[in-house]
């Protein structure tokens, strides 16, 4: 069996990726200290796949504990590294927490990857590495600019650390730059579990619609866009998950021409915040209680993907529409409320 270690496997994208890996014949173990996730999400993974996933509840910043996972599983052939803190606002308030956690966990994983000669490594990156691009539509060759937050810096640094490390360690790697992952698995057995007040748009929408939040804010409608609100490339989490399976298939089939390749994972369509809200209202038949408020510091006007490279080289075709994203997100929110 092709055994894959998924770090952050109890997280939003990690759990959806475990489902896809299993459905495509991989054997999976998870490492997640559940500091920002719930082990219960693996019950949902089991309901979908019929497989119980072993999770090593380990702080990956502790080398010896990370090393022990590899000693116990010498048959790991690939790693997908999701485990990291990802709240932009929190990273601004507490940069050292982000640099410490996100970089040290990556370093420990890469040290073990090298020591145990694990051949394949997939790194969870983000469109945030582009900073505020001159052109809203970005390709993988779009120049990397100043990160907008310490979180963004940890993704930029993470990419560099991976690129520099794999050269000297015969590791074949892929960096996947997600745009805005949203929605829930179509089975509605797993989905996003934001901790505390949601920073991201779609959980804020669904929590407002279900009544967990009294009202939500649209952070600015005075941007130079179609309707004044920011443009983003929302992508269904299940489409994101499948891209990881395709990335491993691609590396195992030795289709890569360099030992570190980068792929944008977005639909290629940009939607404004207000368009996203109106789509939610149409799909849910709910009128959303929102107000237009001041811009949020650190927000960029617009960014969306040129996803040609992932389509051509990985054979990746995003399947879910914005309506599907809003529908599954809403069904998941209603299930959480039960
Ligand atoms: C999207 C748009 C907000 C909430 C960040 C990271 C990215 C990824 C996703 C981790 C913006 C607007 C939001 C609200 C609003 N990180 N908004 N009211 O900032 O594009 O991306 O989160 O997974 O790497 O950079 O995502 O969902 O926070 O915001 O108006 O209550 O929605 O201003 O224009 P963002 P987001």
């Amino acid at each position: 069996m092709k055994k894959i270690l998924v770090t952050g496997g109890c997280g939003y994208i990690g759990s959806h990726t475990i489902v896809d890996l299993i459905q495509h014949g991989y054997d999976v173990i998870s490492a997640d200290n559940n500091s920002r996730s719930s082990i219960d999400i693996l019950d949902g993974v089991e309901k979908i796949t019929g497989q119980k996933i072993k999770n090593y509840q380990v702080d990956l910043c502790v080398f010896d504990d990370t090393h022990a996972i590899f000693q116990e599983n010498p048959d790991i052939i690939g790693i997908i590294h999701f485990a990291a803190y990802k709240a932009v606002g929190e990273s601004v308030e507490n940069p050292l927490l982000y640099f410490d956690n996100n970089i040290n966990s990556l370093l420990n994983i890469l040290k073990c990857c090298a020591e145990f000669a694990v051949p394949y490594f997939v790194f969870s990156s983000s469109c945030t590495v582009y900073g505020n691009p001159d052109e809203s539509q970005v390709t993988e060759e779009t120049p990397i600019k100043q990160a907008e937050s310490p979180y963004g810096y940890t993704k930029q640094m993470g990419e560099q650390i991976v690129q520099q490390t794999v050269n000297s360690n015969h590791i074949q790697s892929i960096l996947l730059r997600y745009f805005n992952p949203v929605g829930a698995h179509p089975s509605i057995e797993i989905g996003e579990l934001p901790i505390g007040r949601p920073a991201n748009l779609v959980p804020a929408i669904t929590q407002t619609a279900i009544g967990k939040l009294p009202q939500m804010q649209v952070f600015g409608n005075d941007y130079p866009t179609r309707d004044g609100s920011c443009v983003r490339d929302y992508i269904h989490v299940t489409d994101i998950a499948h891209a990881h399976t395709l990335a491993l298939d691609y590396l195992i089939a030795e289709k890569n021409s360099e030992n570190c390749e980068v792929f944008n994972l977005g639909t290629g369509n940009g939607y404004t915040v207000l368009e996203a809200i109106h789509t939610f209202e149409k799909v849910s038949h709910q009128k959303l209680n929102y107000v237009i408020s001041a811009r949020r510091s650190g927000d960029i006007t617009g960014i969306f993907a040129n996803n040609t490279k992932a389509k051509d080289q990985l054979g990746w075709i995003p399947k879910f529409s914005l309506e599907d994203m809003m529908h599954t997100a809403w069904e998941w929110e209603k299930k959480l409320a039960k």
Side-chain angles (χ1 to χ4, degrees), residues 86 88 126 128 151 179-180 199-201 204 216-219 230 232 234 273 296 299:
K86 60 140 209 157
V88 172
S126 164
T128 199
Y151 159 75
F179 282 68
N180 287 58
N200 293 134
L201 177 67
M216 69 166 281
Q217 296 171 301
V218 171
F219 295 131
C230 296
R232 295 290 185 275
Y234 298 99
V273 173
R296 181 173 69 175
D299 275 342

Side-chain angles (χ1 to χ4, degrees), residues 92-167:
V92 173
E93 285 155 31
N94 196 341
L96 285 175
L97 175 71
Y98 273 65
F99 296 134
D100 181 35
N101 182 67
N102 291 5
I103 301 304
N104 284 319
S105 53
L106 172 62
L107 292 176
N108 285 340
I109 282 288
L110 284 172
K111 286 174 189 169
C112 292
C113 190
E115 179 183 333
F116 290 86
V118 176
Y120 310 113
F121 183 86
V122 177
F123 179 66
S124 167
S125 190
S126 164
C127 64
T128 199
V129 303
Y130 295 108
N132 193 355
D134 298 334
E135 296 289 324
S136 293
Q137 185 169 36
V138 295
T139 72
E140 290 82 357
E141 284 66 49
T142 297
I144 300 297
K145 293 176 72 176
Q146 173 97 359
E148 297 287 322
S149 68
Y151 159 75
Y153 268 115
T154 67
K155 290 301 179 185
Q156 288 182 344
M157 287 188 277
E159 289 196 356
Q160 284 301 316
I161 290 167
V162 171
Q163 282 175 352
Q164 305 301 323
T165 302
V166 295
N167 284 328

Side-chain angles (χ1 to χ4, degrees), residues 28-47:
V28 181
I29 55 172
S30 167
D32 193 317
N33 66 357
N34 299 129
S35 63
R36 301 283 174 102
S37 63
S38 166
I39 190 79
D40 296 344
I41 210 80
L42 295 184
D43 294 339
V45 170
E46 187 174 356
K47 283 193 185 130

